[in-house]
Amino acid sequence: MLRDITQTLSPDTPTWPGDTPFRTARTWHYGLDCPVNVSRFETSTHAGTHADAPLHYDPDGLAIEAVSLNAYVGRARVIDVRGCGSVITPAMVMPSLSGGPERILLRTYDRFPHRSWDAVFATVSADTIMLLAGRGIVLIGIDSPSLDPQESKTMDAHIAVRAASMAILEGLVLDGVGAGDYELIALPLKLAGMDAAPVRAVLRDLA
């Protein structure tokens, strides 16, 4: 069974305050003089469900087209931390790490806010990132818009990720996904020179 854990990109998709909202337009219209419909869109690289590239938080980091894809495909563990408050601490994830796979996805929402921006979303402490790195985790994913708070200027969690060379997925939709292990497939678009890219993220039940 495949579980789609991707936000639908549309003009209703909430975006980071001040960032580029999702917009579309029709370039060509199917009709008597045109055999096809063709559209265009504009949006932020961080809109919806996306993968951060190291370039996002490191001026010398790799752009998204240059990152290894290995981290984005493979066994992943969903950890339910609903009710965690504003910050996910090491104690909240430690009990769920034993014997786990190399990818961790954190569920913080009872119901994902598809049409409204949540400015007080749950974030991840740098200590938690360090704990995961010490356990060999290669990817951290979360259903909130960012690992760090909206007003953060220090980006502590992202900097910890940089030190650990982990991959990041943000804006996942984990409604109805139970805690446990799955196969993750979440490949970022190959966008040259970009600091992030949308992904189509799915979880497949393990046999």
Side-chain angles (χ1 to χ4, degrees):
M1 175 179 176
L2 286 180
R3 304 170 187 267
D4 191 347
I5 56 171
T6 314
Q7 294 182 56
T8 300
L9 287 174
S10 78
D12 293 326
T13 303
T15 53
W16 197 277
D19 205 351
T20 308
F22 186 84
R23 303 184 184 97
T24 64
R26 186 63 59 84
T27 306
W28 296 331
H29 294 264
Y30 183 93
L32 294 177
D33 298 323
C34 182
V36 293
N37 286 313
V38 174
S39 301
R40 64 183 182 271
F41 66 88
E42 176 188 25
T43 194
S44 167
T45 53
H46 297 266
T49 308
H50 64 277
D52 282 355
L55 181 62
H56 177 48
Y57 43 88
D58 178 357
D60 298 316
L62 293 175
I64 197 65
E65 88 281 3
V67 301
S68 170
L69 298 180
N70 292 332
Y72 301 98
V73 179
R75 291 174 69 101
R77 175 163 294 175
V78 174
I79 300 178
D80 191 333
V81 290
R82 285 178 291 173
C84 64
S86 60
V87 182
I88 300 166
T89 65
M92 295 173 183
V93 300
M94 178 76 81
S96 301
L97 296 181
S98 178
E102 296 179 314
R103 298 159 191 86
I104 295 296
L105 310 179
L106 301 171
R107 181 180 178 186
T108 70
Y109 284 119
D110 288 321
R111 179 170 295 181
F112 188 89
H114 285 282
R115 293 182 176 245
S116 61
W117 178 256
D118 176 15
V120 290
F121 52 82
T123 62
V124 182
S125 74
D127 286 343
T128 301
I129 299 296
M130 293 169 62
L131 168 68
L132 296 178
R135 295 297 186 95
I137 301 303
V138 300
L139 177 145
I140 181 169
I142 194 165
D143 55 0
S144 69
S146 177
L147 300 180
D148 283 296
Q150 179 172 309
E151 303 302 327
S152 175
K153 302 302 181 187
T154 57
M155 300 291 282
D156 296 341
H158 283 79
I159 297 306
V161 164
R162 180 177 70 184
S165 299
M166 293 166 62
I168 300 173
L169 293 176
E170 295 168 333
L172 300 169
V173 180
L174 297 173
D175 295 14
V177 177
D181 293 353
Y182 304 85
E183 180 186 14
L184 171 71
I185 305 167
L187 297 174
L189 292 179
K190 196 173 185 180
L191 303 177
M194 296 290 100
D195 50 88
V199 303
R200 184 67 180 265
V202 298
L203 294 176
R204 181 155 50 192
D205 291 349
L206 298 174

